[in-house]
């Protein structure tokens, strides 16, 4: 799975899996590069994109939504005042016109993008999220990955629009219904449904 998805969504849920299946060893590999599942070293992948993923059993987990979030210590922030605070963003590994970027957000909001706003740029989404939690600016990030911080009041998302990201897909090879792979697959599907 991607680095941000693994760190922010998957790792916090592993304790629940270990409670249900203490006999199954999990080896998590986080990478923003696509890992070759044909090499035999990977049994399950969570891919983020539009697909298709031929040759695998594919289960869509959930679609991603992105919106501006920030620490409430920044005070009152409106869509119109976005240029007054640092805008936090991160690099997308693959170039795609549908990547949820600040440019796309401003276009969907029907607003001009601020000219030369203060900018804080990260190579990875998890770091952008941490910067927002630390009150360093306003980040356009996955709402699924900041769900806990929003619920705890560490971050707020007081305005939209929300823009569509891609979908998280669960990829597996065919496996026996009683195999560890099938147990992990079922657990991931249930976690995605409950996080829905």
């Amino acid at each position: 799975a991607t680095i941000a998805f693994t760190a922010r969504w998957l790792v916090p849920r592993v304790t629940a899996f270990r409670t249900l299946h203490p006999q199954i060893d999990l080896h998590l590999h986080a990478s923003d590069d696509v890992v070759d599942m044909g090499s035999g070293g990977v049994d399950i992948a969570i891919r983020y994109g539009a697909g298709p993923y031929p040759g695998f059993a594919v289960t869509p987990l959930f679609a991603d939504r992105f919106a501006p979030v920030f620490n409430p210590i920044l005070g009152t922030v409106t869509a119109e005042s976005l240029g007054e605070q640092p805008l936090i963003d991160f690099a997308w590994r693959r170039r795609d016109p549908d990547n949820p970027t600040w440019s796309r957000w401003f276009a969907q909001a029907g607003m001009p993008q601020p000219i030369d706003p203060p900018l804080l740029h990260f190579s990875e989404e998890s770091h952008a999220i941490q910067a927002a939690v630390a009150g360093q600016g306003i980040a356009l990030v996955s709402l699924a990955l900041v769900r806990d911080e929003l619920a705890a009041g560490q971050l707020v998302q007081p305005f939209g629009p929300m823009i569509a990201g891609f979908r998280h897909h669960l990829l597996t090879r065919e496996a026996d219904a009683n195999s560890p792979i099938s147990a992990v697959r079922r657990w991931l599907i249930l976690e995605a449904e409950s996080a829905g």
Side-chain angles (χ1 to χ4, degrees):
T2 65
I3 295 169
F5 184 88
T6 302
R8 310 278 318 161
W9 193 92
L10 190 55
V11 169
R13 291 170 165 77
V14 168
T15 300
F17 179 82
R18 300 291 300 144
T19 300
L20 291 170
H21 303 283
Q23 74 285 4
I24 297 175
D25 292 331
L26 289 179
H27 299 266
L28 304 179
H29 176 78
S31 177
D32 289 337
D33 296 321
V34 175
V35 175
D36 179 13
M37 288 183 66
S39 67
V42 177
D43 296 310
I44 299 172
I46 298 173
R47 297 270 166 86
Y48 184 68
Y53 305 103
F56 298 101
V58 179
T59 304
L61 291 179
F62 58 86
D64 219 353
R65 308 290 290 167
F66 284 68
V69 298
F70 56 91
N71 188 314
I73 64 170
L74 294 183
T76 302
V77 176
T78 64
E80 294 73 26
S81 68
L82 279 177
E84 299 168 14
Q85 297 283 348
L87 298 182
I88 300 169
D89 75 351
F90 61 93
W92 286 90
R93 295 286 291 209
R94 65 170 188 258
R95 297 202 181 276
D96 189 309
D98 292 328
N99 284 343
T101 61
W102 277 113
S103 295
R104 192 170 145 223
W105 186 87
F106 280 106
Q108 191 164 325
M111 299 171 56
Q113 187 164 349
I115 298 169
D116 296 325
L119 187 63
L120 187 54
H121 187 77
F122 291 94
S123 60
E124 212 286 309
E125 186 175 9
S126 292
H127 302 149
I129 292 168
Q130 285 307 114
V133 170
Q136 296 174 9
I138 303 158
L140 181 66
V141 295
S142 163
L143 295 177
L145 300 188
V146 295
R147 183 176 178 177
D148 292 342
E149 288 81 4
L150 289 168
Q154 294 174 300
L155 292 174
V156 293
Q157 188 252 314
F159 53 83
M162 287 186 284
I163 60 174
F166 295 100
R167 183 171 286 277
H168 295 275
H169 297 86
L170 176 62
L171 279 62
T172 58
R173 291 187 221 90
E174 294 303 323
D176 179 88
N178 296 319
S179 74
I181 294 169
S182 292
V184 174
R185 183 181 180 280
R186 285 190 301 272
W187 172 74
L188 284 168
I189 291 168
L190 288 173
E191 286 294 322
E193 288 173 354
S194 68

